[in-house]
């Protein structure tokens, strides 16, 4: 699809389901990238992979209220449909699903889905109800778009694991694919929330990826003690005055359970506030 082509924007559940049904009847594979908009190169990398793996690509743009806490940034989260469409126009997206909140959560809505254990550690400790909202909206979107393949980024690693587990537990016939974190040249993980950072805060935020990389380097040098590895990372965060830390932890990358000693393949994950902006990042040993 080139700049000369318009991307079809669908804004109702019924139209999206009807369209997906017709594509599936034709035997074409549907791939899906769910987003909340404010698109950046990380999102675009997911779309390119989805385009490679299917014959029909749907991207959703929906800022999901049920995954935001009462004091989080739902109201100020960037909403720019025209800007987002401009960014994806050359990728070859076939449909953008852009529903109103009342399409997704009609009056009287009261059904939710939770992945009980995987939602408890890491971000789940600090954002109660967040993953309940994520799992619910993703399952709803799956039922609307009816994809064969769905692509998610590994920056939201716990989210990816929860969605993969939900798909297995509920026997969804959808392949869930995780894609690597896309970073700026200086190492900062791309995030829609980076736009909130001042220049000074952005410089300080680089300590997150530096801390993760230093932990990984220490592990390669033979350090297996988790407390010592985490202490190494916290020293780097402290040196950049990042003291509002939700967590810096090393956990099993599949179960997200804590371990006695670091092992190859473990997840190192961090969540911290830089100024008023909560950022997350991760790396694997």
């Amino acid at each position: 699809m080139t700049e000369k082509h318009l991307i079809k924007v669908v804004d109702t559940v019924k139209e999206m389901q009807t369209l997906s049904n017709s594509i599936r009847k034709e035997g074409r594979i549907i791939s899906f990238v769910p987003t909340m908009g404010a698109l950046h190169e990380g999102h675009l990398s997911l779309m390119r992979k989805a385009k490679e793996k299917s014959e029909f690509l749907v991207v959703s743009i929906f800022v999901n209220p049920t995954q935001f806490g009462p004091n989080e940034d739902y109201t100020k989260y960037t909403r720019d449909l025209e800007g987002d469409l401009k960014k994806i126009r050359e990728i070859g997206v076939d449909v953008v699903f852009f529903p109103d909140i009342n399409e997704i959560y009609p009056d009287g809505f009261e059904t939710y889905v939770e992945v009980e254990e995987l939602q408890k550690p890491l971000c789940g400790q600090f954002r109660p109800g967040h993953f309940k909202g994520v799992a619910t909206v993703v399952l709803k979107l799956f039922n609307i778009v009816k994809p064969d393949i769905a692509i998610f980024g590994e920056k939201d690693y716990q989210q990816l694991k929860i969605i993969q587990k939900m798909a297995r537990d509920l026997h969804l016939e959808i392949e869930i694919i995780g894609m690597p974190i896309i970073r700026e040249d200086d190492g900062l993980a791309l995030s829609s929330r980076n736009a909130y950072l001042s220049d000074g805060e952005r410089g300080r935020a680089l300590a997150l990826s530096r801390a993760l990389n230093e932990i990984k380097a220490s592990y390669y040098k033979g350090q297996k003690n988790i407390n010592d590895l985490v202490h190494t990372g916290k020293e780097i965060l402290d040196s950049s005055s990042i003291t509002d830390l939700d967590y810096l932890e090393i956990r099993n990358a599949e179960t997200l359970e804590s371990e006695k000693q670091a092992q190859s393949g473990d997840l190192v994950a961090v969540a911290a506030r830089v100024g008023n902006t909560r950022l997350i990042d991760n790396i694997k040993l």
Side-chain angles (χ1 to χ4, degrees):
M1 190 171 291
T2 69
E3 284 286 338
K4 295 179 181 178
H5 290 88
L6 294 176
I7 298 171
K8 183 176 179 63
V9 178
V10 172
D11 60 6
T12 69
V13 169
K14 185 174 182 180
E15 184 182 359
M16 188 68 247
Q17 287 177 322
T18 300
L19 179 57
S20 291
N21 286 338
S22 68
I23 296 299
R24 291 176 72 92
K25 283 179 182 177
E26 293 170 7
R28 290 196 278 168
I29 294 172
I30 299 174
S31 61
F32 178 43
V33 179
T35 82
M36 295 204 302
L39 302 178
H40 52 66
E41 181 56 36
H43 297 112
L44 303 187
S45 72
L46 307 184
M47 296 174 201
R48 293 187 190 101
K49 173 57 68 173
K51 190 67 179 176
E52 288 176 11
K53 296 185 72 66
S54 74
E55 299 144 299
F56 195 83
L57 170 56
V58 180
V59 172
S60 65
I61 297 177
F62 178 67
V63 183
N64 176 39
T66 64
Q67 70 188 68
F68 288 82
N71 298 313
E72 295 184 343
D73 57 340
Y74 174 70
T75 55
K76 74 171 186 175
Y77 199 89
T78 302
R79 293 160 172 85
D80 179 18
L81 177 62
E82 289 307 313
D84 288 340
L85 292 176
K86 186 175 181 180
K87 290 175 184 175
I88 67 177
R89 208 172 298 281
E90 293 185 355
I91 290 177
V93 173
D94 295 287
V95 171
V96 169
F97 180 48
F98 182 67
D100 182 83
I101 187 171
N102 294 319
E103 282 287 313
I104 302 299
Y105 298 108
D107 286 344
F109 180 84
E110 58 178 345
T111 303
Y112 293 88
V113 60
E114 292 186 75
V115 180
E116 292 186 340
E117 293 303 316
L118 276 176
Q119 71 179 354
K120 290 179 179 177
L122 302 176
C123 285
Q125 303 172 73
F126 300 94
R127 303 185 71 189
H130 170 68
F131 289 118
K132 175 181 175 181
V134 168
T136 299
V137 79
V138 169
L139 183 58
K140 287 172 73 67
L141 290 169
F142 284 170
N143 286 331
I144 296 164
V145 175
K146 307 184 181 186
D148 301 283
I149 299 165
I151 314 282
F152 293 82
E154 291 183 351
K155 187 177 78 68
D156 294 292
Y157 189 86
Q158 187 173 11
Q159 170 182 279
L160 170 64
K161 291 288 119 180
I162 284 171
I163 291 165
Q164 288 175 329
K165 184 73 163 66
M166 177 181 72
R168 288 195 300 272
D169 287 355
L170 299 183
H171 308 291
L172 304 182
E173 293 183 304
I174 303 171
E175 181 184 3
I176 311 295
I177 298 174
M179 290 293 293
I181 295 172
I182 302 296
R183 299 181 181 276
E184 300 278 9
D185 291 341
D186 55 13
L188 183 67
L190 291 183
S191 168
S192 299
R193 290 185 169 96
N194 289 350
Y196 300 158
L197 300 170
S198 68
D199 289 344
E201 288 168 348
R202 194 193 177 289
R204 289 170 52 215
L206 297 177
L208 297 179
S209 58
R210 286 207 312 272
L212 297 178
N213 282 308
E214 189 58 38
I215 288 172
K216 188 172 183 176
S218 296
Y219 173 78
Y220 282 152
K221 292 175 184 176
Q223 179 60 264
K224 301 293 191 296
N225 183 283
I226 285 178
N227 289 335
D228 290 342
L229 289 168
V230 168
H231 179 72
T232 296
K234 285 183 175 178
E235 285 186 327
I236 292 174
L237 297 178
D238 288 343
S239 70
S240 291
S241 301
I242 297 179
T243 56
D244 192 355
L245 180 67
D246 279 357
Y247 60 81
L248 175 60
E249 296 188 28
I250 300 173
R251 288 181 173 258
N252 180 282
E254 290 304 312
T255 66
L256 302 186
E257 293 174 347
S258 57
E259 298 180 312
K260 294 180 179 179
Q261 279 203 320
Q263 302 179 58
S264 178
D266 279 354
L267 178 77
V268 188
V270 62
R273 280 171 186 78
V274 182
N276 293 320
T277 304
R278 187 180 188 273
L279 300 175
I280 60 174
D281 201 351
N282 69 77
I283 201 170
K284 283 186 180 179
L285 298 180

